Amino acid sequence: MEILIKAIQLILSLSILVILHELGHFIPAKLFKTRVEKFYLFFDPWFSVFKIKKGETEYGVGWLPLGGYVKIAGMVDESMDKEQMKLPPQPWEFRSKPAWQRLIIMIGGVTVNVILGMVIYAGILFYWGEEYLPTENLKYGVAVDSTGQQLGLRSGDKILSVDNKPVENFMKIPAEIVMNQAKSIQVERDGQKVDLTVPSTFIAGLIKKQELFMVPRQPFEIDEFTPNSKGKEAGLQKNDKLVGVNDVETGYFDDFRSEIQKHKNQEVSIHVLRNGAPLEIEVKVPEDAILGIRPKPIDNYLDFKKKEYTLAQSIPAGVEKAFTTLGDYVKQLKLIVSPETKAYENLGGFIMLGKAFSPDWDWARFWSFTAFLSIVLAIMNILPIPALDGGHVMFLLYEVVTGRKPNEKFMEYAQVAGMIFLFSLLLYANGNDIVGLFK
């Protein structure tokens, strides 16, 4: 059921984005009296799931969910309609329109995606506000894994700044380190300020790991049990506070998890505080060292901050958030093409996208990720690659500057090369997803 819910959210999100993106091309094309022969959600090689003809345009839904398209008469596009291009130009064709009109038609999709990102972000801020965990509110410090330890961090450290610049939102710290390729992290340890150097190899390893290397530290109080929980079978109860394993004190959740890993297939004595009274419970630790216990949510211990927005405040804040997202994604692209980080090894496809959605229907998360995807779609489409909007814009700008149209045969070859590159990228990204499933 979880996979189905995520798949439905992914398809719905992509459908919204593709339809509105293609409308961005369709509307200016119609305004400039350019004939649009097809308007499709998803691709329709050989056959379509649904189609209907209205006026001069065929509207339909294809069976291949890799995007969508509008087929504009007199334009070298993914349809590769060479026969039409051999005929004399007609007044209603794309190639007969002035360069400035063709430019507006081509950037329409990207423009709509950027505006849509702004509108969604503004709507989210107005309706739900913005909740985050201030870095200064981590009173227990952070819990770090082996990756964080390689950097020099220790569980219990309190983050002060990154490159000597405070980061208000704790959850933005990993992104701040990676995307800005931070050189140092400042922490408070045992009342002293410690400066940790971030080696470039650490950033490359962090990208490859694709997991958080530090999380807020918290005490370990039981919230609920999983089915067939070994902890519950042994006598542990909801609200028990776990403070030790045998003779080792485990004041926090990460301490307990680390210590219990050392006792696989052994019987241990777990020290518990139940209603404030100390108690020892004998537990047989299974081979995977998982007792089936879920701790209480982090907001039971740490104070989150929520910022509310009026309608007037949400609009500029939504615009700012959209442009911040755009800038951050451009930084990610630079990391992807960097031979040092090798971030391209972690490119993912539809499975990775699906995992980003909530396992239950969370509208706030759905719209937030849809806004992010809208910005990503805008950036990817404006890249100067033939077969993308940016490729057409590149050729149009050449025409505007030189006063000459590129040779149509050259445009055809460029379109084919661009399509081969994009499909290769698509196969690589989704291949990474499949390999990841087996790993």
Side-chain angles (χ1 to χ4, degrees):
M1 182 58 73
E2 177 180 316
I3 294 174
L4 179 62
I5 292 173
K6 287 188 174 185
I8 292 172
Q9 289 181 86
L10 175 61
I11 292 170
L12 177 60
S13 177
L14 291 179
S15 298
I16 292 169
L17 296 177
V18 168
I19 289 172
L20 293 177
H21 176 90
E22 299 306 335
L23 274 174
H25 298 304
F26 179 85
I27 292 173
K30 299 297 280 185
L31 286 174
F32 296 134
K33 297 182 173 25
T34 310
R35 181 172 294 175
V36 180
E37 297 174 350
K38 284 188 173 185
F39 186 117
Y40 262 75
L41 170 65
F42 306 148
F43 294 112
D44 61 327
W46 304 296
F47 68 93
S48 57
V49 175
F50 165 82
K51 62 181 178 181
I52 186 172
K53 187 79 177 279
K54 285 194 174 182
E56 61 191 23
T57 306
E58 178 182 296
Y59 302 87
V61 178
W63 61 271
L64 189 60
L66 299 179
Y69 70 98
V70 288
K71 186 178 184 302
I72 300 175
M75 175 180 170
V76 179
D77 59 10
E78 59 270 12
S79 69
M80 296 304 293
D81 190 350
K82 298 179 183 179
E83 296 304 316
Q84 185 184 61
M85 301 304 292
K86 291 178 182 177
L87 300 173
Q90 300 298 318
W92 61 81
E93 289 186 335
F94 179 81
R95 55 181 166 165
S96 299
K97 302 300 178 181
W100 67 271
Q101 291 186 3
R102 284 180 280 139
L103 186 60
I104 290 173
I105 292 171
M106 289 318 306
I107 65 173
V110 169
T111 304
V112 165
N113 282 130
V114 173
I115 293 173
L116 179 62
M118 296 175 182
V119 170
I120 294 176
Y121 278 133
I124 291 171
L125 294 174
F126 174 67
Y127 190 81
W128 285 288
E130 189 174 29
E131 188 174 37
Y132 64 96
L133 177 59
T135 304
E136 63 182 10
N137 287 4
L138 271 70
K139 57 185 176 183
Y140 306 113
V142 296
V144 298
D145 63 4
S146 57
T147 304
Q149 290 169 6
Q150 290 172 14
L151 179 61
L153 288 167
R154 298 179 190 172
S155 291
D157 284 350
K158 296 181 179 179
I159 308 297
L160 300 176
S161 55
V162 176
D163 281 339
N164 291 298
K165 298 175 184 176
V167 181
E168 185 179 5
N169 184 346
F170 171 74
M171 296 309 294
K172 290 185 177 180
I173 290 177
E176 185 73 20
I177 294 170
V178 172
M179 288 190 289
N180 291 329
Q181 301 191 51
K183 300 294 186 289
S184 65
I185 301 176
Q186 290 70 44
V187 304
E188 180 187 319
R189 181 182 297 163
D190 300 326
Q192 300 293 319
K193 182 179 178 181
V194 179
D195 200 290
L196 303 174
T197 301
V198 182
S200 59
T201 53
F202 173 80
I203 293 176
L206 195 60
I207 293 172
K208 188 170 185 178
K209 187 170 183 269
Q210 288 189 304
E211 293 177 7
L212 292 175
F213 64 94
M214 63 177 177
V215 294
R217 206 177 199 198
Q218 68 177 85
F220 191 6
E221 291 183 275
I222 298 175
D223 186 50
E224 56 184 14
F225 299 94
T226 62
N228 305 315
S229 166
K230 300 299 181 184
K232 186 175 184 180
E233 289 175 6
L236 292 171
Q237 297 179 10
K238 181 180 173 68
N239 297 322
D240 281 353
K241 185 174 182 180
L242 282 54
V243 295
V245 177
N246 292 337
D247 297 327
V248 178
E249 183 180 342
T250 58
Y252 301 96
F253 175 71
D254 61 291
D255 290 336
F256 182 89
R257 187 171 58 179
S258 176
E259 185 61 30
I260 208 72
Q261 289 284 334
K262 302 174 184 177
H263 300 281
K264 295 178 180 179
N265 294 317
Q266 298 177 22
E267 190 161 307
V268 298
S269 178
I270 294 182
H271 296 258
V272 174
L273 291 177
R274 181 175 294 170
N275 298 321
L279 187 67
E280 290 186 28
I281 294 179
E282 302 298 318
V283 179
K284 177 64 183 296
V285 181
E287 188 171 351
D288 59 8
I290 296 175
L291 301 183
I293 304 169
R294 292 196 181 105
K296 289 188 176 180
I298 191 70
D299 57 9
N300 278 266
Y301 311 101
L302 304 179
D303 294 326
F304 282 69
K305 186 175 181 180
K306 185 170 184 179
K307 186 175 181 180
E308 304 283 357
Y309 291 83
T310 65
L311 181 59
Q313 292 171 330
S314 67
I315 294 171
V319 171
E320 181 183 358
K321 191 171 179 65
F323 277 106
T324 299
T325 303
L326 191 150
D328 287 345
Y329 193 73
V330 169
K331 292 176 184 176
Q332 288 184 47
L333 286 179
K334 290 180 181 177
L335 290 173
I336 288 172
V337 299
S338 169
E340 293 181 2
T341 61
K342 295 184 179 180
Y344 56 84
E345 294 179 356
N346 300 303
L347 280 176
F350 293 109
I351 294 175
M352 181 179 285
L353 287 178
K355 285 180 178 179
F357 288 97
S358 175
D360 47 22
W361 204 282
D362 183 338
W363 281 111
R365 187 167 168 180
F366 171 83
W367 285 116
S368 180
F369 194 59
T370 298
F372 170 74
L373 287 180
S374 190
I375 299 297
V376 169
L377 189 60
I379 296 170
M380 296 303 293
N381 266 282
I382 205 62
L383 292 176
I385 299 172
L388 292 176
D389 296 345
H392 291 285
V393 170
M394 177 177 63
F395 294 130
L396 278 168
L397 291 176
Y398 168 83
E399 181 184 340
V400 169
V401 172
T402 65
R404 300 193 307 271
K405 286 186 178 182
N407 181 274
E408 287 186 359
K409 188 59 69 174
F410 170 78
M411 295 278 285
E412 289 177 10
Y413 289 143
Q415 185 78 7
V416 171
M419 289 172 67
I420 291 172
F421 171 76
L422 292 175
F423 275 113
S424 299
L425 192 62
L426 189 68
L427 288 171
Y428 176 78
N430 285 281
N432 277 352
D433 278 349
I434 294 169
V435 172
L437 287 177
F438 287 102
K439 285 184 177 179

